[in-house]
Amino acid sequence: MIIVRRIHKWIGLILGLQLALWMLSGLGMAVLPHDLVSGDHRRAEHGALPPVQLSSLEIRDPTPVERSNIHEIRLNILNGRAVLETVSTDGASLSDAVTGYPIAIDETLAMEVALNDYSGPGAVTEMAYVSIPKLETRSHAAPAWRVSFDDPEHTSIYVSATNGQIQERRNNYWRTFDIFWMLHIMDYQNRSNFNHPIIVISAILAVWMGLSGIVLWRDSLRRHDFNLIGKWRNRNNSHTLSVTDSDGGAIKAVRATPLQTLYAAMDANGYPLPSSCGGGGTCGLCRVKISPETTVLPADRRQIPESEIQAGYRLACQHPVSTDLCVTLPHGLLDAQTFTGKIVSSTFISPDLCELRITLPEMLAFRAGSYLQVKIPPFESHLDKLDLPEFVRERWHASGTAEHFGTDRTVYRTYSLANSPGELGNDIMLNVRLALARPDTSGVPVGIGSAFLSTLTLGDSITLKGPFGDFHVKDADDEIIFIGGGAGIAPIRSMIQDQLSVRGRTSKISFWYGARTPEDIVYSDEFAQLADTYRNFSWHVALSHLDKDDTWSGERGLIHEFVRDQYLASHPDIGRCRFYVCGPPPMLEAVLKSLAALGVPEDRIAFDDFGS
């Protein structure tokens, strides 16, 4: 077993180095601007050429012997004139389509073609005949002329020596990209073979790693793991939790009662974890890093990516403390501020969504997509005491939600920031969904957090902590597709405003929003104005709960089906898009399944559902 462990370690190191190269090369390819890599930014734009009058062409009719050797005749444009490319068993030849005179792609003509295609500041520094394809022209078999320019990118334009067409536009951006591509596909010679022996060997080693990992896992089990009687006898003994920060530095050791959940133990020791479900295992916010050997529960798999599960992340609300543990707290929990704000306004922008504006002592520094933790003190209230719009009150009554509500202990709830950084000065904006009962749960209490916030009026104080969260837009210049529903619009609004109004992003951005009825659509005028102002932005709405006689003229149905059928199913390069999803758990689950079915890589999808 020692030998297996040692081999496992060294093979893991080798694969780890290759994996690091693969990830770094993938990052490098994603960061490099595509238009610069392709050389299109140096490509000259020409107006439309006049149509070729076929009646004016004087094509010599070949003899029967010659005709039998011809495979294809193509009509092309070369430097503004019509030419015929004849492909036969003897090779390819070029002739003037009007006069029939043969055309040879010599050095002078190749330079003219390249200069006609080039729009940069450089001058020609070298002309070279390339008889055998090099790495820069590896996808072309025919010989070519390489025309080199002295611009900052060292552009080279390859002109086919057979038909005068542009084969490739290469520059230093492409050469850098090609190195990343070589590292990514592990073909260090020709840079084109996905079945290279190195890949095959790596796959075999990975399989061995998996099998040896199973053996080592079995070997790691100890007798005390099955000693249930001993655990019961020690149920009254406390356990030590060694709490560390996100950088691995020790903070302190605290005590936890057996069978108490890790979430409750952290709260009791002064480290309340973020949560919007109150420990129900449905929001995924209370995840902490403990040990990879800890049992993985279904709630863990629903809320935590597999890579993080393997690293030891678990939902604190789902795991009782049964032994001493080392707990790594979420990013931002220790550095987050606790501050007091005052209510500036409270406006219901839909029958169950309240826009809460809060002023702070100073401007809050945060990244678009972050959330705050709201302290809910003990309170008691009744629907009759709330100053709610009549349409909100009607929905409350129709849902059958209990009218008396409150809590006898302090709890915490989380809400996304709906404003972008710096948009409102010292003010912040939250979208609070009034969590009413569903038709099948009539009589249950209203959501504690939203109910408490509904009791606040102008000038009331509120205690906040944060900002938290890793739901942020990546810096890569990819197409962005936002998919949201319900209160999931809050972080998406923040990110869209930040990307367009603050950062001036120019890549394509679209927002696909699902609502139940027309009265549930919020910020429609704002998104319509953004679409008019920014040509790279569009937004789309689908309604899921309409009667047949409703006058809605837009799309009907579920948002994940709408975006799939109307856009993603025919997208030319869906693998280069980044998806940001936020909404109710059923919507989130449906969207993630749909994206997986379309082949979208997991690392291209970021999601949050607590705001709903």
Side-chain angles (χ1 to χ4, degrees):
M1 197 60 63
I2 295 177
I3 295 177
V4 173
R5 192 181 303 277
R6 185 173 298 172
I7 297 175
H8 184 90
K9 179 181 67 175
W10 285 106
I11 291 180
L13 176 61
I14 295 171
L15 291 180
L17 291 173
Q18 180 57 58
L19 181 62
L21 287 175
W22 183 79
M23 295 181 68
L24 289 173
S25 60
L27 175 63
M29 290 189 291
V31 167
L32 286 171
H34 179 72
D35 61 325
L36 301 184
V37 171
S38 64
D40 287 342
H41 66 301
R42 298 299 188 200
R43 183 178 183 179
E45 296 292 337
H46 300 289
L49 294 171
V52 178
Q53 300 297 327
L54 296 180
S55 60
S56 68
L57 302 185
E58 299 179 3
I59 303 174
R60 180 180 63 84
D61 185 29
T63 66
V65 176
E66 291 176 325
R67 189 183 304 118
S68 64
N69 294 332
I70 295 176
H71 299 303
E72 184 180 6
I73 298 178
R74 305 189 190 101
L75 177 62
N76 292 326
I77 300 296
L78 180 65
N79 276 5
R81 61 172 170 168
V83 297
L84 291 175
E85 180 185 359
T86 304
V87 181
S88 67
T89 55
D90 298 326
S93 62
L94 203 65
S95 61
D96 190 293
V98 175
T99 66
Y101 291 130
I103 299 173
I105 309 300
D106 56 13
E107 181 176 342
T108 301
L109 183 55
M111 181 182 295
E112 291 179 6
V113 172
L115 289 173
N116 190 44
D117 181 81
Y118 180 72
S119 66
V124 175
T125 59
E126 182 186 9
M127 290 287 300
Y129 183 78
V130 182
S131 59
I132 301 175
K134 305 296 184 181
L135 283 175
E136 293 193 350
T137 58
R138 55 181 175 264
S139 59
H140 302 278
W145 289 95
R146 183 180 69 238
V147 186
S148 301
F149 295 83
D150 61 356
D151 58 22
E153 297 99 27
H154 293 90
T155 301
S156 294
I157 296 179
Y158 288 85
V159 180
S160 171
T162 302
N163 59 20
Q165 301 300 308
I166 302 296
Q167 287 185 342
E168 300 291 352
R169 302 172 185 87
R170 300 308 192 197
N171 54 43
N172 286 345
Y173 291 104
W174 181 89
R175 295 175 187 108
T176 302
F177 182 93
D178 196 45
I179 293 173
F180 287 142
W181 173 255
M182 173 190 69
L183 296 174
H184 202 69
I185 67 171
M186 305 183 207
D187 182 357
Y188 299 100
Q189 186 175 4
N190 298 318
R191 307 182 187 184
S192 59
N193 185 8
F194 278 95
N195 298 320
H196 196 275
I198 295 179
I199 299 179
V200 177
I201 294 173
S202 297
I204 294 173
L205 292 178
V207 171
W208 189 91
M209 281 283 292
L211 295 176
S212 62
I214 293 174
V215 174
L216 295 175
W217 169 79
R218 179 180 178 276
D219 183 63
S220 66
L221 295 176
R222 297 293 182 264
R223 182 177 301 174
H224 66 78
D225 294 326
F226 305 95
N227 189 6
L228 301 180
I229 296 177
K231 290 183 179 181
W232 182 82
R233 288 175 178 174
N234 295 323
R235 65 188 183 280
N236 294 323
N237 297 333
S238 62
H239 298 293
T240 300
L241 302 179
S242 299
V243 184
T244 67
D245 59 23
S246 57
D247 296 326
I251 301 172
K252 61 181 300 186
V254 299
R255 305 298 294 178
T257 303
L259 304 183
Q260 182 184 32
T261 65
L262 187 54
Y263 175 82
M266 289 289 94
D267 185 38
N269 284 281
Y271 299 102
L273 297 170
S275 175
S276 63
C277 67
T282 60
C283 72
L285 295 175
C286 68
R287 64 185 178 204
V288 295
K289 185 177 182 180
I290 41 181
S291 170
E293 298 179 0
T294 304
T295 302
V296 182
L297 301 178
D300 296 324
R301 294 201 180 279
R302 287 193 298 268
Q303 300 296 332
I304 304 176
E306 183 64 27
S307 58
E308 293 189 9
I309 286 179
Q310 296 300 324
Y313 284 91
R314 302 290 185 272
L315 296 182
C317 66
Q318 299 296 297
H319 291 271
V321 179
S322 59
T323 186
D324 295 346
L325 288 175
C326 180
V327 183
T328 302
L329 297 179
H331 173 72
L333 185 63
L334 298 175
D335 301 327
Q337 313 171 49
T338 298
F339 44 88
T340 300
K342 290 187 179 297
I343 303 298
V344 175
S345 65
S346 179
T347 307
F348 274 88
I349 54 179
S350 80
D352 65 354
L353 194 63
C354 179
E355 182 186 87
L356 200 64
R357 187 158 173 169
I358 304 166
T359 188
L360 306 178
E362 58 184 22
M363 184 183 295
L364 179 66
F366 68 95
R367 291 189 295 173
S370 298
Y371 64 88
L372 296 176
Q373 192 177 70
V374 179
K375 181 180 180 181
I376 312 296
F379 78 102
E380 186 177 358
S381 189
H382 193 277
L383 175 60
D384 293 339
K385 298 180 181 180
L386 303 183
D387 183 19
L388 298 177
E390 189 57 33
F391 63 89
V392 178
R393 193 177 297 274
E394 289 177 359
R395 179 167 288 196
W396 189 309
H397 284 301
S399 69
T401 303
E403 298 183 6
H404 184 269
F405 53 87
T407 177
D408 57 0
R409 64 186 182 89
T410 299
V411 296
Y412 297 88
R413 294 294 184 265
T414 54
Y415 297 95
S416 286
L417 288 152
N419 60 294
S420 61
E423 178 185 1
L424 302 177
N426 285 12
D427 290 0
I428 59 172
M429 188 167 69
L430 306 179
N431 287 162
V432 179
R433 187 179 71 87
L434 191 60
L436 302 175
R438 300 188 302 273
D440 59 337
T441 58
S442 179
V444 303
V446 67
I448 294 298
S450 58
F452 170 74
L453 295 174
S454 298
T455 66
L456 301 180
T457 58
L458 183 66
D460 284 346
S461 296
I462 182 174
T463 301
L464 307 162
K465 187 175 183 179
F468 304 105
D470 296 313
F471 186 50
H472 307 300
V473 174
K474 304 292 185 182
D475 291 333
D477 192 24
D478 299 313
E479 177 182 349
I480 295 177
I481 300 174
F482 293 101
I483 306 174
I489 199 170
I492 292 178
R493 179 197 179 277
S494 176
M495 291 190 283
I496 290 176
Q497 285 282 6
D498 182 58
Q499 291 297 311
L500 294 176
S501 303
V502 179
R503 301 178 184 273
R505 192 181 189 103
T506 58
S507 61
K508 189 174 183 179
I509 300 175
S510 59
F511 176 28
W512 305 76
Y513 184 62
R516 296 168 62 87
T517 64
E519 60 188 6
D520 293 313
I521 303 174
V522 296
Y523 301 125
S524 57
D525 293 340
E526 177 181 316
F527 287 118
Q529 183 177 357
L530 287 174
D532 290 338
T533 305
Y534 300 96
R535 298 181 61 183
N536 60 317
F537 173 71
S538 63
W539 91 297
H540 318 266
V541 180
L543 302 183
S544 59
H545 288 67
L546 292 175
D547 296 329
K548 293 182 179 179
D549 56 351
D550 284 333
T551 58
W552 170 254
S553 60
E555 294 293 334
R556 297 171 179 246
L558 300 175
I559 191 62
H560 72 281
E561 296 175 347
F562 175 42
V563 64
R564 179 196 63 200
D565 298 340
Q566 298 296 321
Y567 188 56
L568 299 181
S570 58
H571 196 286
D573 196 3
I574 194 174
R576 293 188 63 86
C577 298
R578 289 195 178 273
F579 295 84
Y580 298 89
V581 190
C582 191
M587 183 220 81
L588 177 64
E589 182 179 1
V591 171
L592 295 181
K593 286 183 178 179
S594 178
L595 295 180
L598 290 169
V600 178
E602 184 180 288
D603 61 358
R604 287 269 165 180
I605 306 170
F607 62 87
D608 243 333
D609 67 347
F610 67 88
S612 307

